Amino acid sequence: MDSLEKQLICPICLEIFTKPVVILPCQHNLCRKCANDIFQASNPYLPTRGGTVSSGGRFRCPSCRHEVVLDRHGVYGLQRNLLVENIIDMYKQESTSSKPAPQRTDDQPMCEVHEDEKINIYCVTCAKPTCSLCKVFGEHKDCEVAPLKSVYQTQKTELSDGIAMMVGNNDRIQGIISQLEETCRAIEENGRRQKSQVCEKFDHLYAVLEDRKMEMGLKVTAEQEEKLNYIRGLKRKYEDHLETMTKMVESGIQTMEEPEMALFLQTAKPLLQKIGEASKEAPLEKVERGYENMDHYTVNFRKESRALRTIDFIRDEEEEEEEDDGAGAEEEGRTETVASGGANIEDLPPLIAPTPLPQPNPNTVKNTSSS
């Protein structure tokens, strides 16, 4: 019977269930009054009619924290547990028939001042239980007292209401905690997504700069190779001419050393003809001074550097409109757009283009005769 009594205790009022007993969707039981108290504490702002909530709402089961959703009938829409009610009736009948009246006198505490007197009244003024002799002759004779049972019922009801209120407050706090956790997850996810987008934008900017660097490098390399090929070809011409002249000089020295006049004359005649023909040939080309310079490929990135350093995130539309109204020049407006971070990569100021590749021609090449 003691084990059965424990199963019939309401988790709110800590008493045996009173009719009617309602069964929650999680299969736990409550007194209807206790269920209604928890419901009102969890939904303090819902409209009431005659002390009863007249619209739907929700609360949590005090046993398992399962959320119970009610319709417009409130707790009166919950199903009664007739089986538990019948068991309670049988238990009460069995308790009254098989057990004598409870000897509560043995368990009742005794007065500390009058050891033979039981505590049977409550001093309202001092807020403590006491005995009748203390009221008549003792320290509580001038105090206001009340029956112990009535104060017991009142304070038990207050405690039950306080527990129900705390349960409702805990539910609201748990809901706020869940919302804050969800907000933290949303902030983390949004931060990761925005950082990924920023990295993609900068990667695109890096790619554009790499393409422009490659294009300009190819232009410089093309002119470099063209000038080198021209100078190398001219160098080979000079080397060939030098080799021919050197051979003539060697032949002339050998002819000068010939002691026989007849042999000398036979050899000198054709040699003189070759020397004369060589002197009549067109002179070789001569490179103009400064032909080796590549300074015309100088670039200036001061404007682009300022634009890149002012890159920022997009601000509110109202701020952008105010800046557009205050801008006086088209170039300043374009710089502000880049500074706000809203411009595309293609909108950046173009890099300084190099001058056209100079081609060697009679105007850039001097010959020995003109010099």
Side-chain angles (χ1 to χ4, degrees):
M1 296 296 289
D2 293 337
S3 300
L4 179 60
E5 182 179 359
K6 292 180 181 179
Q7 299 299 323
L8 300 177
I9 297 297
C10 175
I12 299 300
C13 63
L14 303 179
E15 296 286 343
I16 294 178
F17 291 113
T18 57
K19 292 183 181 181
V21 179
V22 295
I23 182 171
L24 303 179
C26 57
Q27 304 303 314
H28 291 107
N29 297 281
L30 289 177
C31 303
R32 176 170 289 176
K33 179 181 181 304
C34 298
N36 190 52
D37 292 340
I38 296 178
F39 179 60
Q40 292 184 10
S42 301
N43 303 269
Y45 301 107
L46 291 179
T48 58
R49 183 175 55 194
T52 304
V53 179
S54 60
S55 61
R58 61 187 65 199
F59 67 94
R60 292 187 181 274
C61 173
S63 299
C64 65
R65 311 301 299 163
H66 178 79
E67 188 176 42
V68 180
V69 181
L70 302 181
D71 57 11
R72 61 186 181 85
H73 299 289
V75 295
Y76 290 92
L78 295 174
Q79 185 178 1
R80 291 178 59 178
N81 196 335
L82 299 179
L83 176 61
V84 174
E85 293 182 10
N86 293 332
I87 292 174
I88 292 174
D89 292 338
M90 295 173 61
Y91 169 78
K92 289 181 178 180
Q93 293 176 4
E94 183 68 21
S95 298
T96 56
S97 61
S98 61
K99 290 185 179 181
Q103 299 294 329
R104 299 181 61 87
T105 57
D106 297 338
D107 298 333
Q108 286 182 333
M110 308 300 289
C111 180
E112 296 179 356
V113 179
H114 309 93
E115 298 179 355
D116 296 334
E117 292 293 327
K118 300 170 185 177
I119 296 178
N120 54 4
I121 61 175
Y122 186 84
C123 179
V124 178
T125 305
C126 300
K128 61 182 295 187
T130 185
C131 69
S132 301
L133 292 180
C134 290
K135 169 59 180 171
V136 178
F137 306 106
E139 58 180 349
H140 300 288
K141 61 181 180 180
D142 297 328
C143 298
E144 180 183 358
V145 297
L148 198 65
K149 185 177 181 180
S150 62
V151 177
Y152 163 77
Q153 293 294 339
T154 301
Q155 292 192 2
K156 194 169 186 179
T157 301
E158 292 177 357
L159 181 59
S160 177
D161 295 340
I163 293 174
M165 183 65 70
M166 291 298 297
V167 171
N169 291 335
N170 292 342
D171 291 341
R172 287 192 292 271
I173 293 174
Q174 184 63 42
I176 294 174
I177 292 174
S178 300
Q179 291 179 356
L180 294 177
E181 292 175 351
E182 182 64 26
T183 302
C184 290
R185 289 191 292 268
I187 290 174
E188 293 175 354
E189 179 62 26
N190 292 337
R192 285 193 294 268
R193 182 172 62 252
Q194 294 306 120
K195 285 192 288 187
S196 177
Q197 292 180 0
V198 171
C199 291
E200 290 179 0
K201 296 291 185 181
F202 275 91
D203 290 341
H204 183 59
L205 178 60
Y206 300 153
V208 172
L209 293 176
E210 287 292 334
D211 292 342
R212 293 295 297 149
K213 182 178 71 173
M214 185 176 297
E215 292 176 4
M216 297 181 68
L218 290 176
K219 291 182 180 180
V220 176
T221 302
E223 181 170 345
Q224 173 188 338
E225 291 298 325
E226 184 174 351
K227 286 188 174 183
L228 287 175
N229 292 333
Y230 172 73
I231 297 300
R232 287 167 182 167
L234 189 60
K235 177 185 173 184
R236 286 194 295 271
K237 291 181 180 180
Y238 273 96
E239 289 175 348
D240 295 341
H241 182 72
L242 179 61
E243 183 179 359
T244 302
M245 295 297 102
T246 302
K247 290 180 179 179
M248 288 183 183
V249 171
E250 292 177 353
S251 299
I253 293 173
Q254 292 177 359
T255 303
M256 292 292 293
E257 294 177 352
E258 179 62 42
E260 292 292 333
M261 290 184 294
L263 294 175
F264 173 81
L265 293 175
Q266 290 178 354
T267 306
K269 184 65 175 179
L271 183 59
L272 290 173
Q273 292 178 353
K274 291 180 180 181
I275 293 173
E277 291 175 357
S279 61
K280 294 179 182 179
E281 290 180 357
L284 296 176
E285 298 174 351
K286 184 178 181 181
V287 179
E288 187 180 27
R289 179 178 297 179
Y291 181 74
E292 70 280 2
N293 290 335
M294 303 284 284
D295 298 341
H296 50 280
Y297 284 104
T298 301
V299 293
N300 185 355
F301 292 107
R302 286 193 297 269
K303 184 185 300 182
E304 290 75 10
S305 298
R306 288 194 299 269
L308 292 174
R309 289 191 181 94
T310 54
I311 289 178
D312 200 350
F313 295 103
I314 299 176
R315 289 169 286 182
D316 295 337
E317 295 182 357
E318 295 180 358
E319 296 181 1
E320 293 182 355
E321 292 178 357
E322 292 178 359
E323 291 182 357
D324 293 340
D325 295 338
E330 181 179 357
E331 183 65 22
E332 293 178 356
R334 183 176 62 181
T335 304
E336 290 175 358
T337 306
V338 175
S340 66
N344 295 326
I345 302 301
E346 291 78 3
D347 295 334
L348 291 174
L351 300 177
I352 300 176
T355 55
L357 183 68
Q359 302 292 335
N361 51 52
N363 295 328
T364 59
V365 180
K366 294 183 179 180
N367 52 41
T368 52
S369 61
S370 61
S371 60

PDB file of all heavy atoms in Angstrom, residues 312-331:
ATOM      1  N   ASP A 312      36.352  48.900 -48.507  1.00  0.00           N
ATOM      2  CA  ASP A 312      35.628  48.639 -47.265  1.00  0.00           C
ATOM      3  C   ASP A 312      34.335  47.916 -47.622  1.00  0.00           C
ATOM      4  O   ASP A 312      34.014  47.711 -48.800  1.00  0.00           O
ATOM      5  CB  ASP A 312      35.341  49.959 -46.542  1.00  0.00           C
ATOM      6  CG  ASP A 312      35.052  49.744 -45.061  1.00  0.00           C
ATOM      7  OD1 ASP A 312      34.885  48.560 -44.672  1.00  0.00           O
ATOM      8  OD2 ASP A 312      34.975  50.728 -44.316  1.00  0.00           O
ATOM      9  N   PHE A 313      33.574  47.548 -46.605  1.00  0.00           N
ATOM     10  CA  PHE A 313      32.300  46.882 -46.843  1.00  0.00           C
ATOM     11  C   PHE A 313      31.247  47.909 -47.261  1.00  0.00           C
ATOM     12  O   PHE A 313      31.364  49.097 -46.982  1.00  0.00           O
ATOM     13  CB  PHE A 313      31.841  46.156 -45.579  1.00  0.00           C
ATOM     14  CG  PHE A 313      32.746  45.032 -45.190  1.00  0.00           C
ATOM     15  CD1 PHE A 313      33.641  45.177 -44.149  1.00  0.00           C
ATOM     16  CD2 PHE A 313      32.720  43.837 -45.880  1.00  0.00           C
ATOM     17  CE1 PHE A 313      34.478  44.148 -43.791  1.00  0.00           C
ATOM     18  CE2 PHE A 313      33.555  42.798 -45.530  1.00  0.00           C
ATOM     19  CZ  PHE A 313      34.431  42.957 -44.490  1.00  0.00           C
ATOM     20  N   ILE A 314      30.210  47.419 -47.915  1.00  0.00           N
ATOM     21  CA  ILE A 314      29.138  48.285 -48.390  1.00  0.00           C
ATOM     22  C   ILE A 314      28.386  48.854 -47.195  1.00  0.00           C
ATOM     23  O   ILE A 314      28.013  48.133 -46.285  1.00  0.00           O
ATOM     24  CB  ILE A 314      28.175  47.503 -49.300  1.00  0.00           C
ATOM     25  CG1 ILE A 314      28.937  46.971 -50.534  1.00  0.00           C
ATOM     26  CG2 ILE A 314      27.013  48.377 -49.738  1.00  0.00           C
ATOM     27  CD1 ILE A 314      28.083  46.120 -51.434  1.00  0.00           C
ATOM     28  N   ARG A 315      28.174  50.164 -47.209  1.00  0.00           N
ATOM     29  CA  ARG A 315      27.450  50.820 -46.125  1.00  0.00           C
ATOM     30  C   ARG A 315      25.977  50.973 -46.479  1.00  0.00           C
ATOM     31  O   ARG A 315      25.535  50.547 -47.537  1.00  0.00           O
ATOM     32  CB  ARG A 315      28.079  52.177 -45.818  1.00  0.00           C
ATOM     33  CG  ARG A 315      29.438  52.056 -45.140  1.00  0.00           C
ATOM     34  CD  ARG A 315      30.147  53.383 -45.104  1.00  0.00           C
ATOM     35  NE  ARG A 315      30.641  53.731 -46.438  1.00  0.00           N
ATOM     36  CZ  ARG A 315      31.337  54.816 -46.706  1.00  0.00           C
ATOM     37  NH1 ARG A 315      31.603  55.678 -45.755  1.00  0.00           N
ATOM     38  NH2 ARG A 315      31.750  55.058 -47.922  1.00  0.00           N
ATOM     39  N   ASP A 316      25.217  51.604 -45.602  1.00  0.00           N
ATOM     40  CA  ASP A 316      23.791  51.777 -45.836  1.00  0.00           C
ATOM     41  C   ASP A 316      23.558  52.614 -47.080  1.00  0.00           C
ATOM     42  O   ASP A 316      24.369  53.466 -47.458  1.00  0.00           O
ATOM     43  CB  ASP A 316      23.119  52.462 -44.634  1.00  0.00           C
ATOM     44  CG  ASP A 316      23.188  51.574 -43.404  1.00  0.00           C
ATOM     45  OD1 ASP A 316      23.337  50.356 -43.592  1.00  0.00           O
ATOM     46  OD2 ASP A 316      23.102  52.103 -42.291  1.00  0.00           O
ATOM     47  N   GLU A 317      22.406  52.387 -47.722  1.00  0.00           N
ATOM     48  CA  GLU A 317      22.084  53.118 -48.942  1.00  0.00           C
ATOM     49  C   GLU A 317      21.956  54.613 -48.681  1.00  0.00           C
ATOM     50  O   GLU A 317      22.304  55.439 -49.521  1.00  0.00           O
ATOM     51  CB  GLU A 317      20.782  52.579 -49.528  1.00  0.00           C
ATOM     52  CG  GLU A 317      20.894  51.119 -50.007  1.00  0.00           C
ATOM     53  CD  GLU A 317      19.606  50.624 -50.625  1.00  0.00           C
ATOM     54  OE1 GLU A 317      18.630  51.417 -50.617  1.00  0.00           O
ATOM     55  OE2 GLU A 317      19.579  49.488 -51.108  1.00  0.00           O
ATOM     56  N   GLU A 318      21.451  54.992 -47.522  1.00  0.00           N
ATOM     57  CA  GLU A 318      21.307  56.424 -47.225  1.00  0.00           C
ATOM     58  C   GLU A 318      22.661  57.103 -47.173  1.00  0.00           C
ATOM     59  O   GLU A 318      22.843  58.203 -47.701  1.00  0.00           O
ATOM     60  CB  GLU A 318      20.580  56.591 -45.891  1.00  0.00           C
ATOM     61  CG  GLU A 318      19.146  56.082 -45.920  1.00  0.00           C
ATOM     62  CD  GLU A 318      18.467  56.275 -44.578  1.00  0.00           C
ATOM     63  OE1 GLU A 318      19.158  56.768 -43.659  1.00  0.00           O
ATOM     64  OE2 GLU A 318      17.269  55.969 -44.474  1.00  0.00           O
ATOM     65  N   GLU A 319      23.672  56.449 -46.567  1.00  0.00           N
ATOM     66  CA  GLU A 319      25.001  57.040 -46.518  1.00  0.00           C
ATOM     67  C   GLU A 319      25.584  57.169 -47.915  1.00  0.00           C
ATOM     68  O   GLU A 319      26.218  58.163 -48.254  1.00  0.00           O
ATOM     69  CB  GLU A 319      25.907  56.188 -45.634  1.00  0.00           C
ATOM     70  CG  GLU A 319      25.461  56.134 -44.182  1.00  0.00           C
ATOM     71  CD  GLU A 319      26.403  55.297 -43.343  1.00  0.00           C
ATOM     72  OE1 GLU A 319      27.392  54.806 -43.927  1.00  0.00           O
ATOM     73  OE2 GLU A 319      26.153  55.146 -42.147  1.00  0.00           O
ATOM     74  N   GLU A 320      25.359  56.137 -48.764  1.00  0.00           N
ATOM     75  CA  GLU A 320      25.890  56.215 -50.128  1.00  0.00           C
ATOM     76  C   GLU A 320      25.237  57.351 -50.914  1.00  0.00           C
ATOM     77  O   GLU A 320      25.890  58.048 -51.691  1.00  0.00           O
ATOM     78  CB  GLU A 320      25.665  54.877 -50.819  1.00  0.00           C
ATOM     79  CG  GLU A 320      26.486  53.746 -50.219  1.00  0.00           C
ATOM     80  CD  GLU A 320      26.270  52.441 -50.955  1.00  0.00           C
ATOM     81  OE1 GLU A 320      25.398  52.439 -51.861  1.00  0.00           O
ATOM     82  OE2 GLU A 320      26.968  51.473 -50.658  1.00  0.00           O
ATOM     83  N   GLU A 321      23.911  57.547 -50.724  1.00  0.00           N
ATOM     84  CA  GLU A 321      23.238  58.639 -51.433  1.00  0.00           C
ATOM     85  C   GLU A 321      23.772  59.993 -50.992  1.00  0.00           C
ATOM     86  O   GLU A 321      23.970  60.896 -51.810  1.00  0.00           O
ATOM     87  CB  GLU A 321      21.739  58.549 -51.171  1.00  0.00           C
ATOM     88  CG  GLU A 321      21.084  57.321 -51.821  1.00  0.00           C
ATOM     89  CD  GLU A 321      19.608  57.241 -51.494  1.00  0.00           C
ATOM     90  OE1 GLU A 321      19.151  58.106 -50.722  1.00  0.00           O
ATOM     91  OE2 GLU A 321      18.942  56.334 -52.011  1.00  0.00           O
ATOM     92  N   GLU A 322      24.040  60.156 -49.700  1.00  0.00           N
ATOM     93  CA  GLU A 322      24.587  61.423 -49.225  1.00  0.00           C
ATOM     94  C   GLU A 322      25.963  61.669 -49.829  1.00  0.00           C
ATOM     95  O   GLU A 322      26.294  62.792 -50.224  1.00  0.00           O
ATOM     96  CB  GLU A 322      24.676  61.400 -47.705  1.00  0.00           C
ATOM     97  CG  GLU A 322      23.312  61.406 -47.028  1.00  0.00           C
ATOM     98  CD  GLU A 322      23.439  61.327 -45.509  1.00  0.00           C
ATOM     99  OE1 GLU A 322      24.603  61.245 -45.044  1.00  0.00           O
ATOM    100  OE2 GLU A 322      22.413  61.351 -44.819  1.00  0.00           O
ATOM    101  N   GLU A 323      26.788  60.618 -49.918  1.00  0.00           N
ATOM    102  CA  GLU A 323      28.117  60.806 -50.507  1.00  0.00           C
ATOM    103  C   GLU A 323      28.016  61.144 -51.990  1.00  0.00           C
ATOM    104  O   GLU A 323      28.772  61.966 -52.512  1.00  0.00           O
ATOM    105  CB  GLU A 323      28.935  59.535 -50.303  1.00  0.00           C
ATOM    106  CG  GLU A 323      29.312  59.290 -48.840  1.00  0.00           C
ATOM    107  CD  GLU A 323      30.172  58.049 -48.695  1.00  0.00           C
ATOM    108  OE1 GLU A 323      30.394  57.394 -49.730  1.00  0.00           O
ATOM    109  OE2 GLU A 323      30.604  57.766 -47.576  1.00  0.00           O
ATOM    110  N   ASP A 324      27.046  60.497 -52.702  1.00  0.00           N
ATOM    111  CA  ASP A 324      26.888  60.793 -54.127  1.00  0.00           C
ATOM    112  C   ASP A 324      26.444  62.235 -54.338  1.00  0.00           C
ATOM    113  O   ASP A 324      26.859  62.902 -55.297  1.00  0.00           O
ATOM    114  CB  ASP A 324      25.866  59.827 -54.733  1.00  0.00           C
ATOM    115  CG  ASP A 324      26.390  58.396 -54.747  1.00  0.00           C
ATOM    116  OD1 ASP A 324      27.624  58.241 -54.664  1.00  0.00           O
ATOM    117  OD2 ASP A 324      25.569  57.462 -54.847  1.00  0.00           O
ATOM    118  N   ASP A 325      25.563  62.755 -53.453  1.00  0.00           N
ATOM    119  CA  ASP A 325      25.114  64.136 -53.588  1.00  0.00           C
ATOM    120  C   ASP A 325      26.253  65.116 -53.335  1.00  0.00           C
ATOM    121  O   ASP A 325      26.306  66.193 -53.932  1.00  0.00           O
ATOM    122  CB  ASP A 325      23.967  64.418 -52.610  1.00  0.00           C
ATOM    123  CG  ASP A 325      22.741  63.594 -52.955  1.00  0.00           C
ATOM    124  OD1 ASP A 325      22.648  63.169 -54.132  1.00  0.00           O
ATOM    125  OD2 ASP A 325      21.890  63.392 -52.060  1.00  0.00           O
ATOM    126  N   GLY A 326      27.181  64.783 -52.437  1.00  0.00           N
ATOM    127  CA  GLY A 326      28.263  65.699 -52.097  1.00  0.00           C
ATOM    128  C   GLY A 326      29.451  65.594 -53.022  1.00  0.00           C
ATOM    129  O   GLY A 326      30.376  66.400 -52.936  1.00  0.00           O
ATOM    130  N   ALA A 327      29.475  64.597 -53.925  1.00  0.00           N
ATOM    131  CA  ALA A 327      30.629  64.422 -54.810  1.00  0.00           C
ATOM    132  C   ALA A 327      30.585  65.492 -55.894  1.00  0.00           C
ATOM    133  O   ALA A 327      29.563  65.714 -56.531  1.00  0.00           O
ATOM    134  CB  ALA A 327      30.611  63.037 -55.424  1.00  0.00           C
ATOM    135  N   GLY A 328      31.711  66.156 -56.131  1.00  0.00           N
ATOM    136  CA  GLY A 328      31.751  67.226 -57.116  1.00  0.00           C
ATOM    137  C   GLY A 328      32.300  66.822 -58.452  1.00  0.00           C
ATOM    138  O   GLY A 328      32.002  67.446 -59.451  1.00  0.00           O
ATOM    139  N   ALA A 329      33.129  65.773 -58.520  1.00  0.00           N
ATOM    140  CA  ALA A 329      33.773  65.381 -59.769  1.00  0.00           C
ATOM    141  C   ALA A 329      33.516  63.905 -60.023  1.00  0.00           C
ATOM    142  O   ALA A 329      33.299  63.130 -59.107  1.00  0.00           O
ATOM    143  CB  ALA A 329      35.291  65.637 -59.713  1.00  0.00           C
ATOM    144  N   GLU A 330      33.553  63.534 -61.274  1.00  0.00           N
ATOM    145  CA  GLU A 330      33.309  62.132 -61.645  1.00  0.00           C
ATOM    146  C   GLU A 330      34.395  61.222 -61.112  1.00  0.00           C
ATOM    147  O   GLU A 330      34.136  60.102 -60.676  1.00  0.00           O
ATOM    148  CB  GLU A 330      33.228  62.023 -63.163  1.00  0.00           C
ATOM    149  CG  GLU A 330      32.945  60.603 -63.656  1.00  0.00           C
ATOM    150  CD  GLU A 330      32.859  60.535 -65.166  1.00  0.00           C
ATOM    151  OE1 GLU A 330      32.962  61.610 -65.794  1.00  0.00           O
ATOM    152  OE2 GLU A 330      32.711  59.438 -65.699  1.00  0.00           O
ATOM    153  N   GLU A 331      35.640  61.671 -61.104  1.00  0.00           N
ATOM    154  CA  GLU A 331      36.744  60.845 -60.609  1.00  0.00           C
ATOM    155  C   GLU A 331      36.600  60.614 -59.126  1.00  0.00           C
ATOM    156  O   GLU A 331      36.865  59.508 -58.641  1.00  0.00           O
ATOM    157  CB  GLU A 331      38.081  61.535 -60.914  1.00  0.00           C
ATOM    158  CG  GLU A 331      39.310  60.730 -60.505  1.00  0.00           C
ATOM    159  CD  GLU A 331      39.440  59.442 -61.287  1.00  0.00           C
ATOM    160  OE1 GLU A 331      38.862  59.383 -62.384  1.00  0.00           O
ATOM    161  OE2 GLU A 331      40.071  58.498 -60.780  1.00  0.00           O
TER     162      GLU A 331
END
